[in-house]
Amino acid sequence: MNVLYTAEALSTGAGRDGKVTTSDSSFQLDLAIPKEMGGSGAGTNPEQLFAAGYAACFHSALQAVARSQKVTIADSAVGSRVQISPNNEGGYQLGVLLEVTLPGIDAAQAQALTDAAHQVCPYSNATRGNIDVTITVSED
């Protein structure tokens, strides 16, 4: 594999109640268990980090696909919701809901662009077959 980039991060403290820092120190966050899971909610959690990363990555893939097809997708946006729930093996599982907004693009073309982005997005490729990912497309 021809590696283009490697991101490094370190988790310290008590995991979900600790800290995360990237190797270049450009990103440092305090973590906290969400109130809904019995924590203080006084910091970010891994699901929020995953949601932010997936939204940004998918949006970038969407823009790349649109550029390659010479389609302008001004004012586009991608929202991401990451859900955590118990699984049947005593652990936990994630689910992702992505909402793609493509103002001014007809529904069929918006869906085609989104489907193509889902094929090239690294997060989509990493999660495919592992977790449920639901994508909706809207014009506003």
Side-chain angles (χ1 to χ4, degrees):
M1 183 163 89
N2 183 22
V3 176
L4 300 174
Y5 172 73
T6 300
E8 294 181 43
L10 178 66
S11 171
T12 57
R16 287 179 169 273
D17 266 333
K19 296 179 184 299
V20 290
T21 306
T22 57
S23 59
D24 65 1
S25 298
S26 66
F27 181 83
Q28 300 176 29
L29 279 178
D30 291 331
L31 300 176
I33 297 170
K35 288 181 182 179
E36 297 84 349
M37 294 174 64
S40 71
T44 294
N45 61 65
E47 292 72 35
Q48 289 172 321
L49 295 171
F50 191 75
Y54 205 155
C57 190
F58 196 92
H59 199 193
S60 181
L62 184 66
Q63 291 172 340
V65 165
R67 272 192 310 278
S68 75
Q69 296 182 18
K70 300 190 181 350
V71 176
T72 301
I73 56 170
D75 300 321
S76 62
V78 175
S80 176
R81 292 185 189 113
V82 172
Q83 301 169 322
I84 187 169
S85 56
N87 66 17
N88 294 331
E89 289 80 42
Y92 296 91
Q93 64 190 25
L94 297 177
V96 175
L97 307 166
L98 295 176
E99 183 176 351
V100 176
T101 305
L102 292 167
I105 305 295
D106 72 71
Q109 186 176 34
Q111 188 65 56
L113 290 169
T114 299
D115 291 345
H118 192 42
Q119 293 306 307
V120 299
C121 173
Y123 275 64
S124 292
N125 288 326
T127 60
R128 187 171 290 111
N130 298 313
I131 65 174
D132 290 335
V133 177
T134 302
I135 304 173
T136 59
V137 182
S138 65
E139 295 178 28
D140 51 12

